[in-house]
């Protein structure tokens, strides 16, 4: 790749090269002066394509430059580098992409190896980049190359700018796309290294989380290949170990680890969901929120088990007493089972129904679907908070008692299905394998697993 010398002229003298700024996979970027219509000049950055290419490669390079120009031209965002123009210079036979010149340094240069940057600054920068990514995702575009080298900070400010859209890519939600296999080793999620994937915000969320880890620690994240290897061979998660060791602020560990989940389905779906993980817990409202969330969960679990027929009556009546009691019609054998008496069953059922009834009484019917999704939206926000874990344990224990009290198919079969859902939620919410043996959640997982096996044996013995 031939470098242009300072003083070189482009576009019939409109641009004059001042010096080289950096080298990338598609070309080199130069600092240049640009003549304006009023005779003034401004400093710009010009990305110029590689020189030593075959005819086919040159055609592909031009297409890539035009695509990058088109993508950049969509935005006028404070934290995305500004597009100026695209042109093909016949004198050097190369495409040129002109952007604003950012007087500043990359986060790579500003971050001290092994130490990182001050936490407050790291959070500020990462929020700004997150906002830029959110704007991109709104138009179904992913960056695919978020890292400390592609984020610049303007001199004299704390303004972070996302640059280098060379491998950015459009995506269609829930649709598999073919992709060029290009990635930054320590910052790309495993799915980006495949030939095809269901691309979306989670790709950038992984890279953003890995970048956040680097800013806080000054250390490279663990590559996905090394993580997968150690998990398979030693059942140890090296990235989690490093986060626990080097990220001092425990609140900030969670967004990093959740954003860097190897399984994309376990990462936050959107940037806004990820940003919520950065927010410190509110001591004043924590107990109230946790109990309310658990109350709704418990009501919905009971709803799924025994109260589905009531929902239409519930929304058509202002009086919950108009509904029939499903515990009498759905499972008349409850009173004969010593595990849960009919009075206890009714009490549990009423607790669930009262949570749902509150929605109607408070004019929240229109938001009922949002409430149904409440647990899915908040279930990952409370790990490490003892009170929430105790309430979660209480929920699963009481629900286990309820389903065990049901006899015969389809009651037992449905009970097993519901308990397996609880089991899966425990796995998704808590690091079961690495919890101390006497931890309440670890014990809860054992109890639920044992109960599933017990109910399966009961079912098989009656078939």
């Amino acid at each position: 790749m031939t470098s242009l010398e300072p003083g070189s002229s482009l576009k019939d003298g409109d641009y004059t090269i001042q010096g080289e700024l950096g080298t990338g996979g598609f070309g080199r970027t130069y600092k240049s002066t640009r003549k304006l219509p009023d005779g003034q000049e401004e400093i710009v950055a010009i990305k110029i394509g590689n020189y030593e290419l075959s005819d086919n490669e040159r055609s592909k390079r031009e297409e890539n430059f035009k695509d990058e120009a088109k993508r950049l031209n969509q935005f006028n965002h404070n934290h995305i580098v500004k597009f100026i123009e695209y042109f093909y210079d016949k004198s050097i036979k190369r495409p040129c992409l002109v952007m604003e010149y950012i007087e500043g340094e990359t986060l790579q240069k500003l971050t001290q190896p092994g130490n990182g940057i001050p936490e407050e600054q790291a959070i500020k920068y990462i929020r700004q980049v997150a906002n830029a990514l959110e704007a991109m995702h709104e138009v179904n575009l992913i960056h695919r190359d978020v890292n400390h080298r592609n984020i610049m900070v303007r001199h004299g400010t704390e303004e972070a700018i996302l640059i280098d859209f060379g491998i950015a890519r459009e995506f269609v939600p829930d649709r598999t796309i073919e992709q060029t296999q290009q990635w930054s080793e320590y910052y790309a999620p495993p799915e980006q290294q495949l030939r095809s994937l269901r691309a979306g915000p989670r790709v950038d969320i992984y890279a953003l989380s890995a970048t956040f880890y680097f800013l806080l620690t000054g250390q490279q994240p663990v590559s996905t290949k090394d993580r997968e290897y150690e998990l398979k061979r030693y059942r140890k998660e090296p990235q989690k170990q490093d986060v626990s060791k080097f990220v001092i602020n425990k609140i900030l560990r969670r967004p990093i680890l959740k954003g860097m989940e190897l399984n994309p389905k376990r990462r936050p779906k959107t940037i806004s969901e990820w940003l919520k993980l950065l927010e410190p817990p509110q001591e004043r409202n924590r107990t109230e929120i946790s109990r309310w969330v658990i109350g709704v969960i418990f009501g919905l679990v009971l709803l799924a088990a025994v109260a589905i027929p009531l929902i239409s009556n519930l929304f058509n009546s202002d009086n919950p007493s108009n509904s029939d009691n499903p515990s009498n019609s759905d499972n008349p054998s409850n009173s004969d089972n010593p595990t849960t008496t009919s009075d206890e069953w009714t009490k549990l059922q009423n607790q669930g129904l009262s949570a749902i009834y509150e929605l109607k009484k408070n004019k929240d019917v229109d938001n009922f679907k949002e409430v149904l999704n409440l647990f899915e939206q908040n279930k990952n926000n409370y790990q490490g908070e003892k009170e929430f874990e105790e309430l979660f344990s209480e929920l699963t224990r009481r629900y286990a008692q309820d389903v065990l009290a049901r006899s015969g198919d389809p009651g037992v079969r449905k009970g097993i299905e519901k308990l397996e859902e609880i089991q899966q939620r425990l796995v998704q919410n808590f690091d079961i394998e690495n919890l101390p043996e006497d931890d309440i959640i670890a014990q809860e997982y054992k109890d639920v697993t044992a109960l599933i096996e017990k109910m399966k044996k009961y079912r098989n013995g009656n078939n």
Side-chain angles (χ1 to χ4, degrees):
M1 180 165 53
T2 303
S3 178
L4 296 179
E5 296 296 326
S8 299
S9 178
L10 298 172
K11 200 181 180 184
D12 299 325
D14 284 352
Y15 296 92
T16 303
I17 298 297
Q18 300 296 312
E20 187 175 316
L21 294 173
T23 302
F26 292 97
R28 297 191 179 193
T29 303
Y30 297 86
K31 182 179 180 181
S32 175
T33 56
R34 178 194 184 206
K35 289 184 179 179
L36 299 175
D38 61 2
Q40 300 295 314
E41 291 184 342
E42 68 173 347
I43 302 296
V44 297
I46 304 181
K47 183 176 180 180
I48 301 176
N50 295 339
Y51 183 74
E52 299 91 348
L53 295 174
S54 66
D55 290 342
N56 288 338
E57 288 175 327
R58 283 199 297 270
S59 177
K60 180 63 176 176
R61 178 192 60 190
E62 287 181 45
E63 183 181 335
N64 289 335
F65 266 65
K66 288 179 181 178
D67 287 343
E68 184 174 355
K70 179 181 176 182
R71 289 161 185 152
L72 270 179
N73 198 28
Q74 297 180 75
F75 304 105
N76 182 21
H77 193 283
N78 289 337
H79 303 293
I80 295 177
V81 62
K82 300 292 191 299
F83 168 80
I84 294 177
E85 72 167 324
Y86 165 84
F87 64 90
Y88 184 88
D89 192 276
K90 295 180 180 179
S91 64
I92 61 172
K93 298 180 180 180
R94 287 187 256 175
C96 301
L97 175 60
V98 186
M99 300 162 285
E100 67 169 318
Y101 172 72
I102 301 171
E103 185 74 40
E105 300 286 356
T106 65
L107 284 178
Q108 179 183 26
K109 293 184 178 180
L110 294 175
T111 305
Q112 297 181 15
N115 290 317
I117 60 177
E119 181 182 294
E120 184 178 345
Q121 278 189 329
I123 293 173
K124 181 173 291 186
Y125 293 150
I126 218 69
R127 283 186 179 277
Q128 292 174 355
V129 176
N131 291 335
L133 291 173
E134 197 166 30
M136 293 178 61
H137 297 165
E138 286 177 358
V139 294
N140 290 349
L141 184 67
I142 50 176
H143 188 277
R144 296 207 305 158
D145 202 14
V146 177
N147 61 67
H148 53 302
R149 296 180 298 273
N150 290 333
I151 302 169
M152 295 196 67
V153 177
R154 294 187 193 275
H155 278 166
T157 74
E158 291 187 331
E159 185 179 12
I161 312 295
L162 183 61
I163 64 173
D164 198 344
F165 281 55
I167 64 170
R169 179 70 191 272
E170 289 78 12
F171 71 92
V172 179
D174 299 322
R175 182 178 297 178
T176 300
I177 64 170
E178 298 294 323
Q179 63 171 348
T180 54
Q181 290 182 285
Q182 295 174 301
W183 65 87
S184 296
E185 181 179 2
Y186 301 100
Y187 297 88
E191 69 269 20
Q192 190 175 336
Q193 302 167 39
L194 304 174
R195 289 188 179 277
S196 61
L197 80 159
R198 288 197 170 189
R202 288 183 169 114
V203 170
D204 287 338
I205 287 172
Y206 183 101
L208 184 70
S209 305
T211 302
F212 189 34
Y213 171 78
F214 173 81
L215 298 184
L216 291 171
T217 66
Q219 299 191 121
Q220 294 279 24
V222 183
S223 71
T224 58
K225 288 184 178 179
D226 288 343
R227 292 176 65 192
E228 290 172 333
Y229 174 80
E230 292 198 31
L231 272 171
K232 184 177 181 179
R233 183 164 184 175
Y234 305 112
R235 298 184 66 81
K236 297 290 185 182
E237 168 49 289
Q239 185 62 59
K240 180 172 183 178
Q241 292 175 332
D242 284 359
V243 168
S244 299
K245 183 177 180 180
F246 299 114
V247 179
I248 299 173
N249 188 335
K250 293 182 179 180
I251 294 174
L252 301 182
R253 294 174 184 174
R254 186 157 183 78
I256 294 171
L257 291 174
K258 292 305 296 180
M260 291 185 69
E261 287 278 6
L262 292 171
N263 183 347
K265 292 182 179 179
R266 297 184 65 176
R267 293 175 217 145
K269 295 179 181 179
T270 64
I271 289 291
S272 62
E273 285 186 22
W274 186 84
L275 285 172
K276 288 179 182 178
L277 299 178
L278 282 176
E279 298 173 1
Q282 301 296 320
E283 292 292 333
R284 184 181 62 179
N285 296 326
R286 182 169 55 192
T287 299
E288 180 182 350
I289 292 173
S290 297
R291 290 189 181 278
W292 187 69
V293 169
I294 288 295
V296 174
I297 298 168
F298 188 58
L300 296 178
V301 170
L302 283 176
L303 174 67
V306 298
I308 291 292
L310 285 180
I311 205 64
S312 60
N313 291 335
L314 186 63
F315 285 97
N316 291 325
S317 170
D318 289 331
N319 186 351
S321 63
N322 290 344
S323 301
D324 295 331
N325 187 336
S327 64
N328 294 331
S329 58
D330 189 48
N331 189 18
S333 62
N334 282 336
S335 59
D336 297 329
N337 192 306
T339 306
T340 307
T341 66
S342 58
D343 288 340
E344 289 172 336
W345 178 263
T346 301
K347 181 180 178 181
L348 292 171
Q349 176 191 325
N350 287 341
Q351 284 180 300
L353 293 177
S354 65
I356 301 168
Y357 179 69
E358 285 296 309
L359 301 176
K360 177 173 177 59
K361 187 176 73 173
N362 295 327
K363 309 299 183 184
D364 287 334
V365 177
D366 291 340
N367 297 325
F368 185 68
K369 288 185 179 180
E370 293 182 21
V371 177
L372 289 175
N373 293 326
L374 181 64
F375 180 69
E376 292 304 318
Q377 295 169 1
N378 289 279
K379 65 182 179 182
N380 294 321
N381 292 346
Y382 301 98
Q383 183 168 345
E385 294 189 17
K386 185 176 180 181
E387 182 177 22
F388 176 78
E389 293 184 1
E390 289 176 350
L391 287 167
F392 196 104
S393 174
E394 180 184 358
L395 164 69
T396 56
R397 177 179 57 79
R398 291 165 70 181
Y399 182 70
Q401 290 176 350
D402 298 343
V403 294
L404 186 61
R406 303 171 66 80
S407 60
D409 260 346
V412 170
R413 174 176 55 80
K414 290 181 177 179
I416 291 172
E417 291 174 358
K418 286 297 174 183
L419 284 173
E420 287 176 339
E421 290 179 13
I422 292 291
Q423 185 186 49
Q424 185 61 31
R425 283 177 174 175
L426 285 167
V427 171
Q428 291 174 345
N429 280 276
F430 307 103
D431 186 10
I432 302 295
E433 293 182 358
N434 293 318
L435 289 176
E437 196 167 323
D438 59 350
D439 185 271
I440 188 171
I441 293 297
Q443 189 59 49
E444 192 63 48
Y445 179 80
K446 291 179 183 177
D447 291 345
V448 170
T449 301
L451 183 56
I452 290 173
E453 294 302 315
K454 181 177 180 180
M455 294 184 70
K456 284 182 177 179
K457 289 179 180 178
Y458 172 86
R459 180 191 62 186
N460 294 337
N462 284 282
N463 287 340

